[in-house]
Amino acid sequence: MLLVVFATMAMMVASIVMTALDRVASYANHLDEERSRETLVGAVQTFEHQLGATLLDYTAWDDAAANAYDHPDMAWMISNFGDMTFDSDLFDVAIVLDAKGRPQMAYSDGQPLEGRVTGYLTPALMGLFDTVQSGKSGLVPQALGFIRTQKGIGSAGVALIRPKSGEISQPRENYVYLAFIRHLSSSTVERLSEAYVLPGLVLVPPSTNKTSVTISAPSGEAIASLAWTPRAPGDQSREQVKPLIKAALVIVTIYALLLVVIGNAEMRRVRRDEANAVKLAQTDRLSGLLNRAGLNQLLEDTVRHGRDVGEDVVLLYLDLDGFKEINDAYGHATGDRLIRAVAAGLAVLVGEGAGLARIGGDEFGIVLTGQDAQARAYTLATSIIAFFDEPVLLGERTVVVGCSIGICVSEGGQVDGSELTRRADMAMYSSKDGGRGRWTLYDPRMDEERETRNQMEIDLRSAIARGEITVVYQPVVDAKTFSLVSVEALARWTRKGHGPVSPDVFIPIAEASGLIDQLGLCVLSQALRQLSHWPDLKLSVNVSPGQFRDPAFVDRVADLFEEANIEPGRVVLEMTETYFIQSPDRARLALERLKALGLRIALDDFGAGFSSVGYLRQFGFDRMKIDRSLVQSLDRGHRAVEMLQATVALARSLGIPVTAEGVETEQQAVILRLAGCDQLQGYLFGRPQTPREIGELMLRPMELRAKAAELAFAASRDGGVLV
Ligand code: C2E
Ligand code: MG
Ligand code: MG
C-alpha cells in the first residue's frame, strides 16, 4: 500500500520536474528565436542600407557628374562603375541609364552584360527608376528595394548622378541614372551567417516558417525568405541537464524506497518489541501463566466480547489450602515447585478453550466463556477439587494441598472484569470459611455479610477505643478439692444497639482486622489490675497468634506486668496450636521470650484441631487445656473415655499438668479427675462472671468443697471408682 502511494508520488514529482524543464527549454528556445529573427531583420536592413550608402557615394559625386554631363565619357563610367562590379563586396551589377531608362552601360561581375541586360532591368528595378525619375523619391533622388533578377535575389538601388551641390546644368531629358544590384549570393549569405551568428542561414523560396525572415519587393510581394537553423539552446540545455535530473530522481527514489523499506522494517520491529513487552508484563515468571495484569486484560477483552455477542463469562478464583504451611515448613524453593506443579496440573484440566492465570501467591484464576460456560465451570471446579485429593509429588517429597474455589458468572458480560474478580474472590473466601476444599458460587448475600462484618469491625474499633470491652472471669478449680485456684479472663462486648456479641464472632473479626493487638492488651491490663485484688488466685489470659506479629508484643506485656505490679509466675497465657503450625520458628522465639519474663504458657483447646502431643514436647508448654468438645464427647461412651485417658496420661508423662474445660456434669468431673486432670473448668463450677461475683464466690469456698465431698461420696457408693 505504502509502496503504491510512494510510486505514485515519485511519478508525479518526476513529471512535474520534467514539465518544468520542458517549459524552461521551450522558453529559452523561444527567446533565442526572437533574438535571431531581430538580428536577421536588422541584417537585411543593414544589407539594403549599405547598398544605399554605396550608391550615394557613387552618384553624388562631382567627377561622375562631370563625366556624365559636362564631357560625357563612357570609358570613365566603365572603369569607375562597370569594372568595380568585379569581385566586389558592395555591388555586383552596375547599369547606367539615360533619362528614358535605356541602358547606356551594363556590367555584372566585371563583365559587360551586352544582350543580357534585360534579365536585370526587371519591372521592379524599373519601378525604382520611375520613382527617382519622377522625383517621388523625396529630397535624395534615390530609391532602394529588393528585387529578383535572372541571377537571383538582391538588393537594388537607382539614383540620379549629380554633383555634390546637387545642381545639374542640363535639362531633365539629359539626366543620367546609375543602378546598382547587390545579390544575395550563397557566399554573401554565408558571410551574413557568420557575421550575425545565424547558423545555417540560407536563401529559400518565400516561407512562413518561424525560423525565417521574409524578403519583400517594393510592391510588397514576398520574393524570398532567409531561413536559419534554430540553435534551440533550451533543448540543448535540457538535454544536458536531463541525465543529471534523471540521476537525481533515481537517487531520490532509491533513497525514499530505502526509507520506506527500512521504516517498514523498523515499525515492524517496534511493534514486535512492544507486543513482546506487553506479553512479558502479563506473564507470571514462575508458572509461565498469565499474571494478575494478564488476567485483568483477558477478563476485560472477554467481558467486552461477551457483551457484544451476549455470552456468559465465568471466573473461577482458586486459592490453595495449606500452601503457606508447606512454604513455611519446607522453604520457598519447595513452595515454588509446588506452584509450578499445580500450574501444570491446572493447565491440563483447564484445556485449550479457557484462560488460566496465576493471580499471585497461591491464587489462580480461570476464565471460561461460550454458550455452556456455567455448566463447564461447575464440572471443572469439581474436577479441580478432586485433583487436589491426590498428594503432589515434588522430587523426593510428597505434599498435600487442597483448594478453595469461588465462582462468579457475568451473564451476557453484564458484570465487568474487576467486579467479577471481587465477587469470585469473595465466593472463594466463603469456601474457605465453609471448611476449605470446596467451590462456592457467588451470592449477593455474601456482599451483605461482608457489609455486616465491616460494620461490626467499625463498631468494635470504637468500642475498644472507648473502653467498652469488659472482662469476665471463669473459675478454675482444683480437681481434688474443688477449691478455686484460678480464673480465666474472657473478653465481653455489648455492641450498642445490638446487645452482647459472642467472642467466637468478634475475636475472629479482631484477628482479621488487626484490632486483636489492642483488644488483647486491653483484656490483659484489665485482668492484671483485677488480679492485684485477688492475691490468692492465679490467672489465665488468652493470646491470639496475630498478636505475635507485633514485634513489640513481648515488651508491652512486660510493661503491663510492671504497671500492675504482678508476679508473672501467677499468670498463664493460653494459646491455640494454629500459630505453632503456621510459624513454628517464630512461635518458639516468642515463647522463649515470654517464658523468660517468668510467664507460663498453656496450649489451649487441645483436641479441637490437629492436636499433636508433639507440640507439647517441642515447645515446652507448661500446661495443656483439653477442649470442651473432647470433654463433652465423654458422654458418648468408652472409646472417648479411653482416648481422653491416654491423652492425659501422655501429657502427664511429659510432666505437663492438664486442665479440662467445659465441664458441665458431675460425671464428667469424676472421669476427668480420674483420668489425671489436676484442674477443672466449666459451668459446673461457675460461668464466666464479673469480678464482684468472683469476689462473692471466694467468700463461699464451702459451697464448692461440699460439692466435692458429695461427689466423692457418690462415686464410692457407685463402685469406688474414685478411690
Ligand atoms: P476458650 O479460651 O477456650 O474459653 C473457654 C470458652 O468456653 C469460653 O467461651 C467459655 O465461656 C466457654 N465455656 C467454659 N465452660 C463451659 C461449659 O461448661 N460449657 C460450655 N458450653 N462452654 C463453656 P467464650 O467466653 O465465649 O470465649 C470463646 C473463645 O473466645 C475463647 O475460648 C477464646 O478462644 C476466645 N476469647 C475470649 N476472650 C478472649 C480474649 O480476651 N483474647 C483472645 N485472644 N481470645 C479470647
Ligand atoms: Mg482459653
Ligand atoms: Mg479453650
Side-chain angles (χ1 to χ4, degrees), residues 275-564:
N276 282 344
V278 168
K279 199 172 168 207
L280 208 66
Q282 296 185 345
T283 304
D284 171 52
R285 287 222 200 155
L286 181 60
S287 63
L289 302 177
L290 290 177
N291 59 14
R292 181 184 290 274
L295 178 74
N296 289 345
Q297 185 64 53
L298 175 70
L299 272 178
E300 198 182 297
D301 296 345
T302 317
V303 165
R304 195 186 312 114
H305 178 258
R307 208 168 18 230
D308 290 346
V309 302
E311 265 177 13
D312 294 349
V313 179
V314 186
L315 174 64
L316 282 80
Y317 203 115
L318 281 68
D319 188 291
L320 303 188
D321 302 329
F323 173 75
K324 199 178 171 321
E325 285 76 0
I326 290 167
N327 218 18
D328 285 345
Y330 303 123
H332 290 291
T334 305
D336 287 355
R337 288 174 81 180
L338 177 59
I339 289 293
R340 272 198 290 266
V342 168
L346 287 177
V348 173
L349 287 173
V350 167
E352 288 292 311
L356 173 61
R358 178 177 172 231
I359 302 171
D362 58 349
E363 295 177 350
F364 295 84
I366 299 166
V367 182
L368 295 176
T369 189
Q371 285 311 323
D372 52 348
Q374 290 198 35
R376 279 189 287 128
Y378 305 148
T379 315
L380 180 62
T382 307
S383 52
I384 289 174
I385 290 185
F387 165 76
F388 281 102
D389 283 347
E390 298 296 319
V392 184
L393 197 69
L394 299 176
E396 307 273 280
R397 197 163 274 147
T398 308
V399 297
V400 179
V401 273
C403 176
S404 296
I405 304 176
I407 302 179
C408 184
V409 183
S410 172
E411 277 175 21
Q414 291 307 310
V415 179
D416 74 17
S418 57
E419 177 61 10
L420 196 58
T421 311
R422 190 191 70 80
R423 291 183 182 180
D425 184 27
M426 192 144 56
M428 185 277 290
Y429 271 109
S430 181
S431 287
K432 289 259 185 216
D433 291 344
R436 303 174 157 199
R438 66 193 62 206
W439 61 266
T440 312
L441 187 62
Y442 167 79
D443 185 321
R445 270 175 298 186
M446 291 174 184
D447 273 327
E448 289 163 27
E449 279 164 26
R450 173 73 61 97
E451 184 44 41
T452 311
R453 219 177 135 92
N454 285 349
Q455 199 49 54
M456 195 178 278
E457 186 188 318
I458 292 168
D459 289 357
L460 180 62
R461 189 181 298 274
S462 53
I464 295 170
R466 287 200 298 260
E468 286 168 14
I469 302 297
T470 56
V471 183
V472 290
Y473 301 88
Q474 184 173 30
V476 179
V477 301
D478 180 278
K480 283 208 175 78
T481 62
F482 284 11
S483 57
L484 183 64
V485 287
S486 178
V487 287
E488 178 174 2
L490 294 161
R492 289 292 176 266
W493 176 35
T494 305
R495 189 180 174 198
K496 279 223 173 77
H498 293 265
V501 183
S502 162
D504 289 327
V505 174
F506 73 80
I507 293 292
I509 291 177
E511 284 173 339
S513 60
L515 286 172
I516 194 67
D517 289 349
Q518 300 166 47
L519 191 144
L521 291 174
C522 156
V523 170
L524 181 63
S525 89
Q526 281 190 52
L528 289 181
R529 262 181 280 136
Q530 188 55 54
L531 192 64
S532 61
H533 299 293
W534 298 327
D536 298 330
L537 287 186
K538 293 197 167 155
L539 172 73
S540 291
V541 180
N542 294 286
V543 173
S544 282
Q547 291 177 260
F548 289 110
R549 271 184 241 129
D550 175 9
F553 172 66
V554 178
D555 296 334
R556 287 187 214 278
V557 170
D559 288 349
L560 288 181
F561 274 93
E562 200 131 313
E563 267 170 42

Side-chain angles (χ1 to χ4, degrees), residues 70-127:
D70 302 343
H71 44 83
D73 184 351
M74 195 47 67
W76 187 91
M77 296 278 180
I78 288 170
S79 86
N80 281 281
F81 302 141
D83 291 345
M84 295 311 274
T85 60
F86 177 70
D87 203 14
S88 164
D89 250 359
L90 300 172
F91 51 92
D92 55 280
V93 173
I95 301 169
V96 176
L97 298 160
D98 66 10
K100 290 224 166 47
R102 288 172 304 218
Q104 304 300 304
M105 181 219 77
Y107 267 73
S108 171
D109 298 317
Q111 294 296 318
L113 280 169
E114 317 251 300
R116 288 175 289 130
V117 73
T118 47
Y120 297 94
L121 292 178
T122 64
L125 186 78
M126 292 321 289

Side-chain angles (χ1 to χ4, degrees), residues 535-616:
D536 298 330
L537 287 186
K538 293 197 167 155
L539 172 73
S540 291
V541 180
N542 294 286
V543 173
S544 282
Q547 291 177 260
F548 289 110
R549 271 184 241 129
D550 175 9
F553 172 66
V554 178
D555 296 334
R556 287 187 214 278
V557 170
D559 288 349
L560 288 181
F561 274 93
E562 200 131 313
E563 267 170 42
N565 196 20
I566 295 288
E567 157 61 29
R570 290 175 64 195
V571 177
V572 177
L573 295 185
E574 297 185 4
M575 294 176 207
T576 53
E577 60 202 347
T578 40
Y579 187 60
F580 303 97
I581 300 170
Q582 284 171 6
S583 320
D585 294 334
R586 266 184 285 163
R588 187 174 291 113
L589 205 71
L591 276 197
E592 277 167 13
R593 293 188 60 200
L594 287 169
K595 287 178 87 166
L597 289 180
L599 281 159
R600 285 174 304 133
I601 315 291
L603 180 63
D604 201 355
D605 298 346
F606 187 90
F610 284 86
S611 305
S612 158
V613 178
Y615 290 124
L616 290 171

